[in-house]
């Protein structure tokens, strides 16, 4: 298994480890950070279980799931989590997702993270299409994806079941042949 370490100027990505559970719980266990996610805040034990599943998925051949710690390069702290899931039936395409600790919001970190995920998917993994789905109410995610060069494709009605009922998703995508690293 080849470990992922992919650094940008401001942020870095690396495979998550068991040592990251407390930092990831600060995201997954926070009500504000999970308000647009399809689940309620997670317990520390639930986050530990997710990390164990991600470590197992990292060893799979072929590797279809990347769950990565988002690193602040200046402080070397884990400030969030990023996910890239390659579609088994369409191995040229992958879905991205991310969550950041609320103290990172409003500083362009989300845009930098989307740019880094696009670069990782296109340059390192050789993918053709990357896409992500967001809550219609998640305007910061919309801004991050659009500013990073993704295109809004449309709405999937009642796409995700959340603790508050069914929710639509807005899909954004980027194509390798249209994407330019900024």
């Amino acid at each position: 298994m080849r470990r992922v370490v992919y650094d940008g100027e401001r942020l870095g990505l690396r495979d998550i480890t068991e040592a990251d559970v407390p930092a990831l719980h600060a995201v997954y266990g926070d009500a504000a950070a999970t308000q647009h996610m399809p689940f309620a805040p997670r317990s520390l034990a639930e986050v530990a279980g997710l990390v164990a599943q991600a470590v197992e998925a990292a060893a799979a051949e072929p590797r279809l799931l990347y769950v990565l710690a988002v690193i602040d390069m200046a402080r070397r702290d884990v400030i969030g989590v990023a996910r890239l899931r390659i579609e088994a039936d369409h191995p040229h395409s992958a879905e991205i997702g991310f969550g950041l600790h609320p103290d990172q919001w409003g500083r362009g970190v989300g845009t930098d993270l989307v740019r880094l995920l696009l670069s990782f998917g296109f340059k390192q993994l050789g993918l053709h299409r990357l896409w992500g789905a967001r809550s219609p109410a998640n305007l910061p995610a919309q801004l991050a994806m659009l500013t990073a060069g993704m295109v809004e494709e449309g709405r999937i009605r009642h796409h995700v079941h959340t603790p508050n009922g069914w929710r639509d998703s807005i899909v954004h995508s980027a194509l390798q042949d249209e994407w330019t690293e900024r």
Side-chain angles (χ1 to χ4, degrees):
M1 169 182 73
R2 194 178 73 144
R3 302 289 298 169
V4 171
V5 176
Y6 195 74
D7 293 338
E9 289 182 32
R10 188 165 149 183
L11 302 175
L13 299 171
R14 67 161 170 74
D15 281 305
I16 61 172
T17 68
E18 289 180 17
D20 297 323
V21 169
L24 297 179
H25 182 253
V27 175
Y28 283 140
D30 184 275
T34 59
Q35 68 182 318
H36 298 294
M37 295 183 187
F39 52 82
R42 308 266 175 139
S43 70
L44 190 62
E46 289 172 319
V47 173
L50 293 172
V51 169
Q53 291 172 359
V55 169
E56 184 178 323
E61 286 295 334
R63 185 170 182 181
L64 299 177
L65 178 63
Y66 295 80
V67 182
L68 307 168
V70 179
I71 309 298
D72 178 308
M73 295 301 284
R75 297 187 338 233
R76 306 305 295 177
D77 292 340
V78 175
I79 60 169
V81 62
R83 189 173 179 273
L84 186 147
R85 183 186 56 82
I86 297 172
E87 299 173 27
D89 294 341
H90 305 282
H92 60 278
S93 179
E95 178 185 13
I96 63 169
F98 58 93
L100 293 168
H101 192 278
D103 69 4
Q104 300 300 311
W105 296 357
R107 302 184 309 126
V109 175
T111 300
D112 286 351
L113 177 54
V114 173
R115 285 181 176 140
L116 193 61
L117 279 168
L118 294 174
S119 178
F120 175 68
F122 292 139
K123 291 172 119 181
Q124 292 296 302
L125 301 180
L127 298 170
H128 175 70
R129 181 177 189 273
L130 294 168
W131 66 277
R134 66 169 175 84
S135 161
N138 192 345
L139 299 182
Q142 175 187 24
L143 182 60
M145 289 191 273
L146 291 174
T147 303
M150 297 182 84
V151 173
E152 188 172 306
E153 290 186 340
R155 179 181 295 255
I156 303 172
R157 296 174 43 208
H158 285 209
H159 179 231
V160 177
H161 193 266
T162 73
N164 299 319
W166 288 101
R167 183 201 82 202
D168 294 357
S169 290
I170 306 296
V171 176
H172 295 255
S173 71
L175 303 178
Q176 189 279 329
D177 54 347
E178 295 175 350
W179 176 76
T180 55
E181 191 166 19
R182 298 167 198 208

